Amino acid sequence: MGKILITPRGYAKYGDEAGKRLEELGYELNVNRSGLPLSREQFVESAKEATGIIVGVDECDEALLKQCKDLKAIVKFGVGVDNIDLDAAKALDISVGRCVGTNSNAVAEYTIGLMFAASRHIVAAGCDVRSGGWKKPTGVELYGKTVGIIGFGNIGKHVARIANGIGMKVLVYDVFDIKQEDLDTYNAKSTNVEDIIVNSDFITLHVPLNDETKNMISTKEFRQMKKSACVINAARGGVVDEKALYEALKNGDIFASASDVFTSEPPERTDWVNELIAMDNFILTPHIGSRSEESEINTVNKATDIMIELLENHD
């Protein structure tokens, strides 16, 4: 039947039962069990022999796809497909699927966690104590504040649900029309990006990275924000202009920022990046917003279901 290459470490840890379903259909599994990301060379060599690939962050670009003569399907172990060349895949008759909704709650909870951490200096204070200090910075509460959610899909809706429970006011924007019933369900007001930028205390992004969203938050937007604003990015690196963010934090244009993503991961440690990461009012975590046990298991099962469906339906 062919080989299925599986690169995400979450599948290696939680996917034994789901993998048996593929094996029962006659597929041979090539699962990355090293505990480390595959090198580009390792990924290319394995991909060239694959009928299907369940992929994490590995780059499925045109150069690679053209070498995969037997490849029929790629399933993203997650939602964002910016590491998959969709046009090349279509031209080569390779079906592409993604696991929508499986990690939405995990990312939403993490987003709220970053809000608490940034607003109350939790990371900087903890590091200070660890190094022998005992400073007592004063932060701000989330209750009664306005959160602006840019991108009101599955994750954005979960953020709104939790924010309502905290007692926050919720502004939302999406490129697609938002149903009134969703606004009512999440006690949210639909508005535009500029209104969110100008009037929100917390701004959180839940959009894909594409030509329209690249650097959608940059110098102009930071200067329009409240000086007390906190910007959260648990979406994709590059949605926020990180050099402009560095300048905004350095100049006191905004209060704080927390990000689970960066344009290059791990970041290229230039002088300004090192300064940004060292700032007490900036938090950077290593793209772990979706990494809960529950979401990993959900994604394993969904990725397996989609792979089976795509291979069965492939001409």
Side-chain angles (χ1 to χ4, degrees):
M1 292 288 288
K3 294 182 179 180
I4 307 294
L5 171 62
I6 301 173
T7 68
R9 286 164 282 179
Y11 203 107
K13 187 170 183 178
Y14 299 104
D16 287 348
E17 289 302 314
K20 289 177 183 176
R21 293 197 279 131
L22 291 165
E23 291 175 328
E24 288 169 358
L25 293 172
Y27 293 102
E28 179 184 343
L29 303 189
N30 179 3
V31 182
N32 174 24
R33 299 189 183 278
S34 68
L36 301 170
L38 294 180
S39 68
R40 173 68 176 185
E41 183 179 42
Q42 290 171 320
F43 181 58
V44 171
E45 287 305 307
S46 296
K48 287 194 296 186
E49 301 179 353
T51 302
I53 302 175
I54 296 176
V55 67
V57 298
D58 310 271
E59 286 291 331
C60 295
D61 51 31
E62 183 177 15
L64 177 135
L65 296 179
K66 283 184 174 180
Q67 298 181 66
C68 302
K69 304 302 182 183
D70 299 321
L71 187 60
K72 297 179 179 178
I74 301 171
V75 177
K76 176 61 185 280
F77 193 80
V79 180
V81 290
D82 44 284
N83 61 318
I84 302 172
D85 189 327
L86 299 179
D87 291 334
K90 183 177 181 181
L92 294 166
D93 194 28
I94 300 169
S95 301
V96 178
R98 60 196 186 111
C99 301
V100 177
T102 58
N103 61 18
S104 298
N105 185 68
V107 176
E109 287 188 4
Y110 197 83
T111 296
I112 297 292
L114 290 176
M115 289 185 194
F116 279 115
S119 66
R120 299 298 299 273
H121 311 287
I122 291 173
V123 174
C127 290
D128 178 58
V129 172
R130 182 174 290 181
S131 62
W134 197 254
K135 298 176 185 176
K136 297 184 178 182
T138 300
V140 296
E141 299 178 12
L142 272 61
Y143 176 79
K145 301 300 192 298
T146 296
V147 58
I149 302 171
I150 300 175
F152 200 53
N154 289 318
I155 296 171
K157 289 183 174 69
H158 278 295
V159 171
R161 170 181 58 80
I162 302 168
N164 268 295
I166 294 169
M168 304 182 81
K169 301 170 186 175
V170 179
L171 300 178
V172 299
Y173 166 79
D174 199 275
V175 293
F176 300 106
D177 290 337
I178 301 173
K179 296 178 182 178
Q180 185 60 48
E181 61 187 270
D182 287 336
L183 295 175
D184 293 341
T185 297
Y186 298 100
N187 193 25
K189 176 186 175 184
S190 179
T191 186
N192 54 51
V193 172
E194 184 175 359
D195 183 35
I196 286 175
I197 294 297
V198 171
N199 293 307
S200 297
D201 301 294
F202 293 84
I203 298 164
T204 179
L205 300 145
H206 302 286
V207 296
L209 177 63
N210 53 41
D211 291 340
E212 287 71 38
T213 62
K214 183 175 175 59
N215 291 336
M216 70 180 297
I217 306 297
S218 192
T219 302
K220 174 187 173 183
E221 290 73 26
F222 286 123
R223 289 176 177 171
Q224 292 176 321
M225 292 177 189
K226 297 179 180 181
K227 289 192 177 295
S228 58
C230 179
V231 177
I232 307 295
N233 183 11
R236 281 291 184 270
V239 172
V240 173
D241 181 341
E242 289 140 0
K243 185 68 178 292
L245 171 64
Y246 161 69
E247 296 291 345
L249 290 169
K250 186 177 180 180
N251 296 332
D253 293 332
I254 62 172
F255 173 67
S257 179
S259 183
D260 186 44
V261 292
F262 214 79
T263 296
S264 60
E265 296 181 0
E268 296 179 12
R269 300 304 286 262
T270 60
D271 289 344
W272 71 265
V273 171
N274 285 333
E275 285 185 39
L276 173 64
I277 292 172
M279 289 180 173
D280 284 349
N281 58 346
F282 178 68
I283 299 168
L284 178 63
T285 56
H287 207 150
I288 57 173
S290 64
R291 293 179 67 85
S292 70
E293 289 187 7
E294 294 85 352
S295 71
E296 295 280 78
I297 293 168
N298 290 342
T299 308
V300 160
N301 291 325
K302 187 76 171 280
T304 304
D305 292 341
I306 295 172
M307 178 59 73
I308 291 170
E309 180 181 356
L310 291 181
L311 292 174
E312 287 180 346
N313 293 332
H314 197 279
D315 293 335

